[in-house]
Amino acid sequence: MSRKNFFSVLNQEINRIDKAKTSKRFEKIITGFTNERSPKAIIGKKKFQVFNSNDYLGLRHHPALKKAEHQATEIFGAGPGAVRFISGSLKVHRDLEKALAKFHKKNDAMIFSSSFAANLAVLFCLIAGQNKDSLVDSDVIVISDALNHRSIIDGIRVANLPKEQRTIFRHMDPTHLEEVLENNKKIYKRALVVTDGVFSMLGEYQKLREIRTIIDKYDKEYVNGVLLVVDDAHGVGIAGKTGRGIEEIEGVKADVLIGTFGKAFGADGGYVVGSQTIIDYLRESAATYIYSNSIPPGTAAAALKSIEILDKPLGKKLLENSKENVAYFKKQMKKVGYFFAVDSSHPIQPVLIGDPFKTSVLVGKLFKKNIIVTNISFPVVPKGRDEIRVQISAVHTKKDIDQLVKAFKQEK
Ligand SMILES: Cc1ncc(COP(=O)(O)O)c(C=O)c1O
């Protein structure tokens, strides 16, 4: 008997994953970027046009963000030095929280090291009490969209509710959500509905207006009401006319909104915005906030700069460019005979291929033409709906998009 046996189990598991062709560890290492409007990634000796980044506005290479990052690092140091409640609460963190609250028109905000960490804490704290002394009970039914992000699934998992209190509503099906709320109204004291704002595999916008109406209807049917929690990681900064995300697209508000700086905002880290009560409670109870460092001051300053930029002429121009580029890409692809898995105006554009083998071969062929895109197959999407996920940036030029479409056309 020895731990060697356990390592052997781990090796068998790695082999199983490799055989299933779902391994993720053979990552392409980017050694640098070219210095142009839409920077190309350098991999080995070649330069690649990146069509699979979440940097939807091209802000991560923007000189203003880099400058803000350097300046904050000079003042505050490279890291936060401690968790927030010890000595890691720096002015730049608080400035960023205030800017976020204003940006989303909420009372307050709090920053996490990532939006994954934010989801884990928010869901845990809103589902369960922290310890035996907590006044927050778990007399709750949690209702989650079937295609929610892994961080939401894990957030619900860590709350460790009995199985019957964790339910799923069919993907983007508000009628099913209503059924679940109706069926549970006499059973639990409260309900918590959680969903992605924008679904990252297909760029779909959740039907938040319908969901909000249903939730408001059922709020009085539960003693402690119904709460709407939305993770809008792919929406904030990019979706909607002014980049306010799914709330702007659908014209309604979430009760608790989670976002990330790691996508459209071009920096890194996660955040939550909501009412003062929600944020004060989370600051007292969120383990990934209390016991884990916040983002480095330089990153916070870069995120703050990008929030400022978004409401300035540059931000407005980038948002317009993004919409124009997405529309142009769709039009050109349709001209050369491709279809999309859904019709969305989001920079995530799922090019429907319909076969896992063809999809991965096509991604390989595009790579040989110095273009990086991502293939998505079952079980992430249903069988026969295999797609190439293209992500269009506001700083891609028409020429970049023409080259991509040409490459797709040549391989048709
Ligand atoms: C919907 C959603 N939530 C959360 C995350 C995690 O973001 P972060 O990198 O900030 O942890 C992602 C990232 O892919 C996402 O798509």
Side-chain angles (χ1 to χ4, degrees):
M1 294 298 129
S2 150
R3 72 184 76 90
K4 276 189 191 146
N5 286 337
F6 180 57
F7 291 145
S8 145
V9 172
L10 296 184
N11 278 320
Q12 286 168 34
E13 173 62 2
I14 295 166
N15 289 336
R16 182 193 68 75
I17 293 167
D18 287 349
K19 272 201 191 127
K21 300 215 178 304
T22 53
S23 19
K24 302 242 179 321
R25 69 190 186 285
F26 305 106
E27 297 148 348
K28 294 187 179 76
I29 307 295
I30 296 173
T31 53
F33 283 92
T34 59
N35 188 12
E36 55 200 299
R37 181 183 137 109
S38 162
K40 294 191 181 69
I42 303 165
I43 303 174
K45 289 198 167 67
K46 286 175 141 190
K47 295 169 191 161
F48 290 81
Q49 193 59 255
V50 183
F51 279 102
N52 61 355
S53 167
N54 304 318
D55 177 24
Y56 300 123
L57 294 171
L59 281 172
R60 84 172 150 146
H61 292 285
H62 198 281
L65 267 75
K66 293 185 191 173
K67 191 173 164 205
E69 181 172 32
H70 292 159
Q71 282 175 344
T73 305
E74 283 303 322
I75 299 168
F76 296 106
V83 297
R84 289 286 294 265
F85 86 99
I86 306 280
S87 59
S89 240
L90 309 173
K91 183 173 181 294
V92 66
H93 290 133
R94 197 55 201 139
D95 288 348
L96 178 55
E97 287 172 344
K98 285 183 190 157
L100 278 169
K102 201 165 155 221
F103 183 79
H104 287 293
K105 292 202 172 68
K106 309 266 184 193
N107 294 140
D108 204 356
M110 62 194 282
I111 310 165
F112 289 78
S113 55
S114 70
S115 70
F116 202 114
N119 275 334
L120 290 184
V122 168
L123 290 165
F124 179 75
C125 296
L126 296 178
I127 293 171
Q130 292 309 292
N131 50 44
K132 64 176 175 37
D133 298 326
S134 173
L135 304 177
V136 177
D137 61 48
S138 293
D139 194 349
V140 56
I141 178 90
V142 176
I143 316 169
S144 173
D145 185 286
L147 291 192
N148 274 345
H149 188 257
R150 175 64 185 260
S151 51
I152 295 181
I153 297 168
D154 282 5
I156 297 169
R157 266 187 199 149
V158 292
N160 207 18
L161 284 177
K163 224 172 156 204
E164 61 277 12
Q165 283 176 252
R166 289 179 265 140
T167 56
I168 279 173
F169 68 98
R170 282 190 296 275
H171 178 51
M172 293 183 60
D173 186 348
T175 319
H176 189 215
L177 167 67
E178 181 158 15
E179 257 172 56
V180 181
L181 281 168
E182 173 66 29
N183 293 342
N184 288 282
K185 68 184 185 191
K186 299 264 161 15
I187 308 175
Y188 300 103
K189 235 164 122 183
R190 61 188 174 98
L192 184 149
V193 177
V194 57
T195 180
D196 282 18
V198 177
F199 291 87
S200 58
M201 294 302 126
L202 297 165
E204 297 159 299
Y205 296 122
Q206 177 60 285
K207 298 171 183 167
L208 210 65
R209 199 174 329 128
E210 285 179 58
I211 289 180
R212 180 82 263 179
T213 307
I214 293 166
I215 285 179
D216 290 347
K217 177 176 153 196
Y218 279 86
D219 191 48
K220 50 189 172 306
E221 304 284 352
Y222 287 78
V223 177
N224 284 350
V226 187
L227 202 67
L228 174 59
V229 179
V230 177
D231 169 6
D232 201 23
H234 286 275
V236 294
I238 184 68
K241 191 155 182 281
T242 65
R244 264 57 177 180
I246 191 69
E247 290 189 327
E248 186 173 13
I249 293 271
E250 289 285 296
V252 288
K253 292 275 181 193
D255 299 311
V256 184
L257 186 81
I258 294 114
T260 182
F261 303 120
K263 302 190 194 295
F265 288 120
D268 205 9
Y271 66 86
V272 183
V273 286
S275 68
Q276 199 60 57
T277 306
I278 289 278
I279 300 298
D280 284 350
Y281 166 63
L282 289 174
R283 253 190 248 278
E284 295 300 337
S285 53
T288 56
Y289 177 90
I290 299 173
Y291 304 109
S292 178
N293 274 359
S294 191
I295 50 176
T299 310
L304 182 55
K305 181 54 74 182
S306 84
I307 289 174
E308 281 168 26
I309 286 176
L310 229 75
D311 286 335
K312 297 239 163 80
L314 170 61
K316 288 179 187 152
K317 182 85 192 87
L318 287 172
L319 282 164
E320 271 167 31
N321 286 357
S322 163
K323 287 167 184 62
E324 269 173 31
N325 278 354
V326 169
Y328 181 70
F329 171 66
K330 285 170 72 175
K331 192 169 130 208
Q332 298 307 97
M333 284 293 277
K334 283 177 192 163
K335 268 193 199 162
V336 298
Y338 280 92
F339 297 97
F340 292 92
V342 298
D343 183 21
S344 168
S345 60
H346 192 272
I348 295 172
Q349 286 298 320
V351 181
L352 187 62
I353 309 296
D355 174 89
F357 182 69
K358 273 193 202 159
T359 310
S360 83
V361 168
L362 186 46
V363 167
K365 285 185 174 168
L366 293 176
F367 189 73
K368 284 207 179 107
K369 292 179 192 284
N370 297 7
I371 288 169
I372 349 181
V373 289
T374 310
N375 53 316
I376 301 196
S377 283
F378 181 79
V380 180
V381 288
K383 279 190 177 142
R385 304 292 290 173
D386 310 78
E387 57 163 278
I388 290 184
R389 185 174 72 165
V390 174
Q391 288 168 287
I392 303 285
S393 158
V395 295
H396 282 135
T397 60
K398 288 268 182 317
K399 199 172 143 209
D400 298 333
I401 297 174
D402 286 341
Q403 275 168 359
L404 172 67
V405 175
K406 189 173 161 202
F408 265 109
K409 187 181 170 194
Q410 285 169 346
E411 299 304 337
K412 193 145 169 68

